[in-house]
Amino acid sequence: MSSLAPTYYLAFCLVSVFVLKTVNEVVTEPYMDEPLHVPQAQAYCRGDFYSWDPKITTPPGLYIFSVILKHIFALKCNLAMLRLIPLLTLVALPLAITRLLCFHKREQPPSSFTTPSPEAVVLASFPIAWFFGFLYYTEVPSLLFVILTITAATQGKHWRAAFTNVVWVLYAYAASQLMHLRFRRAAPGAAPLPKLHDPPALAAGPEDIFKSIASAPHVVLDILQNFVPYSLVLAAFAVFVIWNGGIVLGDKSNHVPAFHIPQLYYFVGFASLFGWPALISGQEGIRGLLWNIWGRMFGSRRNVLFTLLASIAMAITIHKFTIHHPFLLADNRHYTFYVWRRVFLLHPVVPYLLIPGYIACAWAWYIRIGVDQTLLQNLLLPIFVLPTLLPTPLLEPRYFLIPYILLRAQVVDVPGWAVVVEGVWYAVINAATMWVFLYKERPGVGRFMW
């Protein structure tokens, strides 16, 4: 299958170019968030770096990147050319994801940088990433730079890794150091190196978490030197928060940070809905996965007690921290509007009935990524997802994009047939959502999108 990777990648690129051409022919005016991003980018292209639309909530990285490409390739800053920039990052995505997959699988990347793996091409087709690769949005460029940051850190190029969101910069550092500590060995004849307690994920118990915390001071000095570049990013972020008066860059009235605990549950459900081919494709098959989930939830008195307590805690957080965001309730141009109204608002009891499903899905991912990972490697991404999702008050699939790709990339034993199924699943969703966006515009409502 890997020998056909160049063919898959070429097809991916050609289809993407064709779709962008069609989008530009049909959607001739900036749409949804583009009326914010496009004028801001055009101001930067004119050399006006002091104008700033206060409604924009993202840093100016995309606009600076656009200016750089404008000067390198003599591009115009019209809508069609600006949309080309996310497309360029979309077609570069399989190349970066290939390196990320190789890190988790502990394999050497392909000898040719321009030969991505078929699995990476499929992951780059993930519906949220693929859709926003054709609009002048920040999602795909942000995802690409996060992955490049992580791969740079895992290759020991730490000074190249500190150029994206502060949370994912720290995640890149932590992921690289956990892998380093896991496989480092003392030189022959040298004293044994301090060890971090980090057992295999599927063999670990709750007590191992406390043992890991207790052993952490023994290895801190060994990984402190590599933290220097990341500490500078952390310091810069602290300065920004003080200067800005908070973590939200603009439009603070509509983007007030919240304590949105149910957002974590939505993400687990979202990831399972899109990633089911990877979940069911383990060596033990779907029956083995379901049996393992059942055992983790109800296989012993301790597990039953944990499941019961977790369910109670989740019910309380759903009751106390569910947010009915006004954008979610009012904007019927997004699929989440209909999911919220037709599922979560169907009956007051529905959000609570989903709790066992959330727990089962969380265990499914823990089991699948734990096949070849340690306890701390399994827990690392959830820890860093917390500060990215908890403050977000709006149910928005774009917020799940980076966490999903990083989660899915940790499933290291997806067989070829499951990658094909996953690719077909993504392709069906992509075809349907793009067709609806382009050709099912409703007068007075607009175009439907994620």
Side-chain angles (χ1 to χ4, degrees):
M1 187 173 180
S2 59
S3 62
L4 297 176
T7 305
Y8 294 143
Y9 183 47
L10 178 61
F12 174 81
C13 294
L14 291 177
V15 169
S16 298
V17 170
F18 173 76
V19 172
L20 178 62
K21 178 177 179 295
T22 306
V23 169
N24 284 333
E25 290 172 350
V26 176
V27 188
T28 57
E29 297 294 330
Y31 188 71
M32 199 62 74
D33 286 1
E34 285 185 322
L36 297 176
H37 295 307
V38 171
Q40 188 63 58
Q42 291 172 335
Y44 274 45
C45 287
R46 295 191 303 267
D48 182 3
F49 297 102
Y50 296 98
S51 297
W52 184 260
D53 188 334
K55 293 185 178 181
I56 294 175
T57 60
T58 54
L62 177 62
Y63 318 129
I64 295 171
F65 188 45
S66 302
V67 172
I68 293 172
L69 293 183
K70 170 184 179 292
H71 288 292
I72 293 176
F73 299 107
L75 299 176
K76 297 180 180 179
C77 275
N78 56 29
L79 177 61
M81 288 299 101
L82 288 175
R83 284 176 176 168
L84 179 62
I85 294 169
L87 176 73
L88 293 175
T89 60
L90 178 64
V91 299
L93 202 53
L95 308 176
I97 293 177
T98 296
R99 270 81 194 149
L100 182 63
L101 291 171
C102 288
F103 164 69
H104 287 295
K105 296 179 180 182
R106 302 197 302 281
E107 298 175 350
Q108 285 294 327
S111 56
S112 173
F113 182 77
T114 58
T115 306
S117 68
E119 189 174 357
V121 175
V122 168
L123 283 185
S125 304
F126 176 63
I128 308 302
W130 191 82
F131 185 93
F132 288 103
F134 307 107
L135 299 172
Y136 193 64
Y137 273 57
T138 63
E139 272 63 36
V140 181
S142 297
L143 172 62
L144 176 64
F145 279 98
V146 166
I147 294 175
L148 292 176
T149 293
I150 295 169
T151 54
T154 57
Q155 294 169 2
K157 302 173 182 177
H158 298 288
W159 285 98
R160 299 184 187 180
F163 296 101
T164 186
N165 177 295
V166 64
V167 173
W168 299 122
V169 165
L170 295 177
Y171 171 80
Y173 166 76
S176 68
Q177 297 311 294
L178 282 180
M179 190 69 85
H180 164 70
L181 291 172
R182 180 181 176 184
F183 291 104
R184 70 173 181 166
R185 297 292 183 269
L193 295 171
K195 297 288 290 183
L196 176 68
H197 181 79
D198 195 11
L202 300 186
E207 65 279 359
D208 288 299
I209 297 176
F210 300 101
K211 292 180 181 178
S212 297
I213 295 172
S215 68
H218 302 304
V219 299
V220 167
L221 293 179
D222 297 337
I223 62 175
L224 203 55
Q225 180 179 353
N226 291 332
F227 185 67
V228 174
Y230 306 93
S231 67
L232 299 179
V233 177
L234 195 59
F237 175 72
V239 170
F240 164 77
V241 171
I242 295 172
W243 169 79
N244 187 57
I247 62 174
V248 179
L249 184 59
D251 197 16
K252 297 180 181 179
S253 61
N254 287 318
H255 294 82
V256 178
F259 194 58
H260 194 188
I261 297 178
Q263 188 85 301
L264 304 174
Y265 314 149
Y266 308 149
F267 170 67
V268 170
F270 169 92
S272 302
L273 177 65
F274 283 93
W276 64 265
L279 288 177
I280 69 171
S281 61
Q283 292 183 355
E284 298 181 351
I286 186 171
R287 286 187 178 182
L289 178 66
L290 292 175
W291 181 254
N292 284 331
I293 293 171
W294 179 267
R296 297 266 175 178
M297 294 178 67
F298 307 110
S300 67
R301 288 185 178 181
R302 185 179 71 172
N303 291 359
V304 170
L305 179 61
F306 175 83
T307 301
L308 178 61
L309 293 177
S311 299
I312 293 173
M314 292 171 69
I316 293 172
T317 57
I318 289 172
H319 177 70
K320 292 288 187 180
F321 299 107
T322 294
I323 297 176
H324 301 275
H325 197 282
F327 287 1
L328 181 63
L329 297 173
D331 195 343
N332 61 353
R333 297 169 296 175
H334 296 285
Y335 294 108
T336 48
F337 171 88
Y338 301 95
V339 171
W340 192 255
R341 285 184 172 273
R342 296 178 182 179
V343 178
F344 291 95
L345 296 184
L346 180 64
H347 190 278
V349 78
V350 168
Y352 303 95
L353 294 178
L354 296 173
I355 289 174
Y358 294 142
I359 297 175
C361 289
W363 275 123
W365 283 106
Y366 183 89
I367 292 166
R368 290 296 286 123
I369 69 175
V371 168
D372 192 41
Q373 292 201 135
T374 65
L375 171 66
L376 295 182
Q377 286 177 316
N378 253 29
L379 296 179
L380 186 65
L381 182 61
I383 290 172
F384 281 90
V385 164
L386 288 175
T388 64
L389 294 185
L390 276 182
T392 57
L394 178 63
L395 174 58
E396 168 62 77
R398 288 181 291 163
Y399 298 155
F400 301 153
L401 173 57
I402 293 175
Y404 176 82
I405 295 296
L406 298 184
L407 177 65
R408 168 60 184 81
Q410 294 180 49
V411 185
V412 298
D413 62 343
V414 181
W417 67 265
V419 174
V420 172
V421 171
E422 187 176 29
V424 172
W425 172 234
Y426 290 169
V428 169
I429 297 173
N430 288 337
T433 52
M434 186 55 68
W435 181 78
V436 168
F437 176 70
L438 292 175
Y439 303 116
K440 297 296 288 183
E441 181 180 11
R442 291 172 58 186
V445 176
R447 300 181 185 276
F448 290 94
M449 61 188 298
W450 291 107

